[in-house]
Amino acid sequence: ETGVTQTPRHLVMGMTNKKSLKCEQHLGHNAMYWYKQSAKKPLELMFVYSLEERVENNSVPSRFSPECPNSSHLFLHLHTLQPEDSALYLCASSQDRGNRPSGYTFGSGTRLTVV
Amino acid sequence: QKEVEQDPGPLSVPEGAIVSLNCTYSNSAFQYFMWYRQYSRKGPELLMYTYSSGNKEDGRFTAQVDKSSKYISLFIRDSQPSDSATYLCAMSPTGANNLFFGTGTRLTVIP
């Protein structure tokens, strides 16, 4: 498999559930990201991992918890979510070159609905 | 004020038309500019990548950057129904690996 793979593609969860989103990249990149995409809003950066170290946590509520066990895998653990957390969650990877940003490769996303 | 402004559309054009998509931005530190295309039920894919001011052409696509006006454009010539998608602009300052995105413009090319 190539590129960035996200599972599951769709997820419906109640507000008291705990679930996890999974992302895997097969590109040999050294940086991975979680973004939230809501209708009529820009992509919101949630977390950045570079060389498996979290380098950015963009004021995300603690009900979202990321985990990066190695450079190829990224998880987003979810618990006690709110209906306004319903959105498309996108994982991306890139090759961090220091000074010069590189384009991201995105997965197809997980469509999350909180009921 | 948002860092990046982009008209969400929707924009409908007939097949063969020239399409112009635009973004404005406020942060003069932005040096790298990208356009992503996102088909329905898919993630964004990188379409064009430019550094600083100037033009870049790739097939039917041309990206323009005017840093003095803080304005970037994507032109699509001879538009095709397969170009129907949402187009997102993104930009970044030097030394950062974070991208700042526009809201995206939804384009439909009618056969």
Side-chain angles (χ1 to χ4, degrees), chain B residues 41-63:
Chain B
R41 289 184 286 278
K42 295 282 191 184
E45 57 176 329
L46 182 63
L47 197 57
M48 300 286 279
Y49 182 119
T50 53
Y51 170 68
S52 197
S53 282
N55 291 4
K56 182 174 182 178
E57 192 173 316
D58 184 0
R60 296 184 295 109
F61 299 89
T62 300

Side-chain angles (χ1 to χ4, degrees), chain A residues 10-26:
Chain A
H10 301 273
L11 179 61
V12 179
M13 58 187 287
M15 289 192 282
T16 57
N17 291 160
K18 285 186 183 182
K19 296 284 184 186
S20 295
L21 310 185
K22 181 183 174 183
C23 177
E24 186 173 357
Q25 60 101 356
H26 309 271

Side-chain angles (χ1 to χ4, degrees), chain A residues 46-65:
Chain A
M46 300 176 74
F47 302 104
V48 181
Y49 278 83
S50 181
L51 300 169
E52 299 159 43
E53 210 175 296
R54 190 191 309 181
V55 296
E56 182 137 350
N57 175 347
N58 222 19
S59 303
V60 178
S62 59
R63 57 186 184 268
F64 295 92
S65 172

